[in-house]
Amino acid sequence: MKSHISIQDVNAFYGDHQALRNITVEIPQKQVTAIIGPSGCGKSTLLKCLNRLIDLTDGASVSGKIIVDGINVLNGSIDVTDVRRKMGLLPQKPNPLPMSIYDNIAYGPKLHGKPGKKEMDEIVEKYLKISGLWEEVKDRLKSPANKLSIGQQQRLCLARGLAVEPDIILCDEPTSALDPVSSQHIEQQLLKLKTNYTIVIVTHNIHQAMRLADYVIHLYLGELVEHGHANEVFENPKEERTRAYINGTFSIDLKIDSEANLKGKMCPFNFVYAKQALHNLEDGKILKIIVDDPTAVTEVPRGMEADGHKVLIVKEINKTDWEIVIQK
Amino acid sequence: MDKLIEERIFKILMVVSLGIVVGSLFMVIAVIIWNGAPSLSISMITQTPKGGYYLGKEGGILNAIMGSLYLAFGSVILAFIISLPAALSLQKDYIGKTRLAYYIRLSLDVLWGTPSIVYGAFGFIVMLYFGMRASLLGGIIVLTILQLPIMIRSMEEVIKLVPYELKEASYTLGATRFETTFGVVMRQALPGIFTAVILAFGRGIGDAASVLFTAGYTDSLPRSLLDPVASLPLAVFFQLGTPFPEVQRRAYASALILLLIVLTLSIVSRYLSRKFTKNIIR
Ligand SMILES: Nc1ncnc2c1ncn2[C@@H]1O[C@H](COP(=O)(O)OP(=O)(O)OP(=O)(O)O)[C@@H](O)[C@H]1O
Ligand SMILES: [Mg+2]
């Protein structure tokens, strides 16, 4: 594992309130790193330290080192616009700029060089394609970005961030404002992008972290509780607090309306059976299925969310079996 | 039951106050049209006063119309050039949170509330000191000062309303403060900035007291910035002051022209600012 971002002994304060305590961790290159932890534990703060967006918060101060490509980004004397260029940010709520779709993408490249018209057209097309938006907007590039759906706006923001050619993509709960289909769209794009980019994603959604992450950082009350490869952290956390957090987000008491045991069934049959079982239920009712096919653990929830159902729980119940709870 | 009464009382209050607002606007316009329209003629707006105009003879008030337009446009342009950077620098990204900004806002608010005759008197004294006589330039400068607080404070308010996420988006793309201000903040605030300009224009063109000593009054059109210049509010004032009913009616016609200018401008600006709003993020 090659490290891309080296966070060394970082402390962050808002006034007297310490939001991050002695954080030291390496973020691997060209992988997806998920930052998980309960609300208020400092996830967004850590992200804001990486691209120095925290400078814009009144009364905030940061100490320590964050080394990216041999440069300490926390060093006060470096050009902060260079730091930010290296890192695209995908916010929680899509924030298109008050201009056309085209100009939203062109805004960044225009700041950092003056590409000609033809070159710019190519840039816009390229990044809209990468973010999977091109087909939907290619005929109305000049129309206002605010007319796009929320999901489309988020992909626009992704394209806009990529257009300044960063090496790193930072995402702060990028799908929490989106519907399941749009969320899945974004997740798919991120998975594709990790071959070329280092991705850091803050998420409240453990299933999302499981689906996306190669590496996991667990924060709790501003402290680094645990970090490591995703499968180790999720399957066998070293720290009790991590185990509690991961289980805690699962153990919601639910009234299960129907159950289906799909053990021994392979993909995509388990998916088909699950769909059939859901079909017989009314809207809002809850179905629990048990699967033992490892690919089903990721594919079934993804397919269900794509169909507009809500996946509430994905939980390992023993060495081989998983429980998936879906709300129609 | 109590709730119902509350609701009813509030409803009555709303209707009454809306009635007063709409009613007084309607009455002002009606009275001016009623008294002014009959005297409104082509010669009123195409001729300067001939000898004996104020006795009810030939001529028009082209001098005052043109004078007011020169004064208002001149001062609005000048005020805009000063106000925009001032309002932008009052953002929290610049000096917005400092003590200096606090005092600037305070003094602008005091200036906003200051009666315009005070500006006029101040302008007069300064001009005396420099040995200047009443002139278009003097009028423009005093009107500019009169408009600054309105323009800066209203611009600042709309700039403050620009969502912070928009600025953040720009910063994360590696934009500087300057690039963010002109690339994003200005675009988002444009309709509001427009409104601020119109507001200031309205105050500038309608003010009599500040131009009384500083721009003077004359029956001819100004040939240079240093010539004295007439204005519509003063035209109304002087004509209303004559003992002749015919001339007094012309005062209403002048007021009507003033009203029409302001109305045209706000309609045009509404239309233009709607064109700007299509990209705005809500
Ligand atoms: N601008 C600010 N001023 C003061 N305190 C802040 C500010 N922003 C965050 N904090 C505090 O810092 C701590 C960490 O906040 P942060 O936003 O990083 O949490 P988070 O893990 O992202 O939470 P969430 O999951 O709810 O987004 C919290 O206790 C929060 O109250
Ligand atoms: Mg957060």
Side-chain angles (χ1 to χ4, degrees), chain A residues 14-15 17-20 37-46 48 57-58 60 92 172-173 202 204 219:
Chain A
Y14 295 105
H17 175 75
Q18 186 161 11
L20 292 177
S39 191
C41 68
K43 304 183 295 293
S44 301
T45 306
L46 184 57
K48 283 185 187 168
T57 308
D58 303 312
Q92 177 166 5
D172 196 349
E173 299 176 38
V202 166
H204 269 294
L219 297 181

Side-chain angles (χ1 to χ4, degrees), chain A residues 95-275:
Chain A
N95 53 2
L97 295 168
M99 44 190 87
S100 68
I101 296 171
Y102 184 98
D103 288 339
N104 259 275
I105 312 287
Y107 183 82
K110 258 188 219 157
L111 295 172
H112 308 296
K114 303 267 176 280
K117 168 92 177 77
K118 194 164 161 288
E119 220 177 317
M120 190 62 95
D121 289 348
E122 284 164 13
I123 292 175
V124 170
E125 179 170 347
K126 175 177 168 195
Y127 290 106
L128 282 174
K129 276 183 174 156
I130 293 180
S131 74
L133 193 59
W134 175 251
E135 287 303 321
E136 291 155 63
V137 301
K138 64 175 185 233
D139 301 322
R140 48 172 174 148
L141 292 174
K142 294 289 171 198
S143 68
N146 58 16
K147 295 284 186 302
L148 295 173
S149 75
I150 299 291
Q152 289 173 325
Q153 286 183 11
Q154 191 65 314
R155 278 179 283 150
L156 181 72
C157 292
L158 181 60
R160 180 182 68 192
L162 296 178
V164 295
E165 302 183 337
D167 310 321
I168 300 166
I169 305 172
L170 308 175
C171 317
D172 196 349
E173 299 176 38
T175 61
S176 62
L178 306 186
D179 63 286
V181 179
S182 306
S183 305
Q184 202 210 359
H185 242 106
I186 290 284
E187 284 187 18
Q188 279 172 349
Q189 304 308 331
L190 290 178
L191 281 175
K192 278 188 205 150
L193 289 170
K194 80 172 180 187
T195 47
N196 293 315
Y197 299 89
T198 299
I199 298 175
V200 183
I201 178 170
V202 166
T203 179
H204 269 294
N205 183 335
I206 289 286
H207 316 309
Q208 184 172 57
M210 286 175 168
R211 289 193 292 267
L212 296 178
D214 304 299
Y215 202 78
V216 176
I217 295 174
H218 178 209
L219 297 181
Y220 185 73
L221 292 178
E223 285 177 39
L224 180 66
V225 176
E226 181 162 0
H227 63 99
H229 291 286
N231 40 11
E232 285 166 27
V233 174
F234 285 131
E235 281 164 27
N236 199 9
K238 288 192 207 72
E239 292 285 328
E240 192 44 48
R241 278 181 295 181
T242 308
R243 187 186 306 277
Y245 177 66
I246 293 172
N247 290 340
T249 60
F250 286 143
S251 59
I252 319 155
D253 269 340
L254 286 174
K255 190 181 149 292
I256 308 288
D257 296 296
S258 172
E259 269 192 72
N261 188 344
L262 304 179
K263 277 164 65 160
K265 298 211 164 43
M266 305 281 286
C267 258
F269 297 109
N270 40 30
F271 182 61
V272 175
Y273 277 103
K275 267 185 90 151

Side-chain angles (χ1 to χ4, degrees), chain A residues 312-323:
Chain A
L312 301 174
I313 299 178
V314 180
K315 184 178 173 186
E316 193 180 16
I317 41 181
N318 57 42
K319 276 266 172 323
T320 57
D321 301 346
W322 291 71
E323 166 190 301

Side-chain angles (χ1 to χ4, degrees), chain A residues 51 53 56 58 81 84-85 87 89 93 95-100 107-108 111-112 144-147 160-161 164, chain B residues 92-93 97 164-166 168-176 179-180 183-184 187-188 277-281:
Chain A
N51 68 357
L53 212 56
L56 304 176
D58 303 312
T81 58
R84 295 195 183 131
R85 255 188 89 173
M87 309 187 201
L89 176 78
K93 217 175 115 244
N95 53 2
L97 295 168
M99 44 190 87
S100 68
Y107 183 82
L111 295 172
H112 308 296
N146 58 16
K147 295 284 186 302
R160 180 182 68 192
V164 295
Chain B
K92 79 168 201 166
D93 310 56
K97 293 242 160 167
Y164 196 71
E165 295 85 59
L166 289 186
E168 215 171 69
S170 174
Y171 287 129
T172 52
L173 294 169
T176 60
E179 288 161 341
T180 303
V184 175
R187 275 167 192 264
Q188 175 75 8
T277 43
K278 80 173 185 344
N279 279 319
I280 297 302
I281 308 296

Side-chain angles (χ1 to χ4, degrees), chain A residues 254-316:
Chain A
L254 286 174
K255 190 181 149 292
I256 308 288
D257 296 296
S258 172
E259 269 192 72
N261 188 344
L262 304 179
K263 277 164 65 160
K265 298 211 164 43
M266 305 281 286
C267 258
F269 297 109
N270 40 30
F271 182 61
V272 175
Y273 277 103
K275 267 185 90 151
Q276 213 141 39
L278 268 179
H279 186 76
N280 298 330
L281 289 178
E282 287 168 43
D283 280 353
K285 295 280 192 235
I286 290 171
L287 170 74
K288 181 166 111 179
I289 56 172
I290 311 285
V291 294
D292 59 359
D293 177 3
T295 49
V297 175
T298 52
E299 287 309 320
V300 171
R302 205 176 281 172
M304 287 300 170
E305 299 217 345
D307 282 352
H309 307 299
K310 205 165 168 185
V311 177
L312 301 174
I313 299 178
V314 180
K315 184 178 173 186
E316 193 180 16

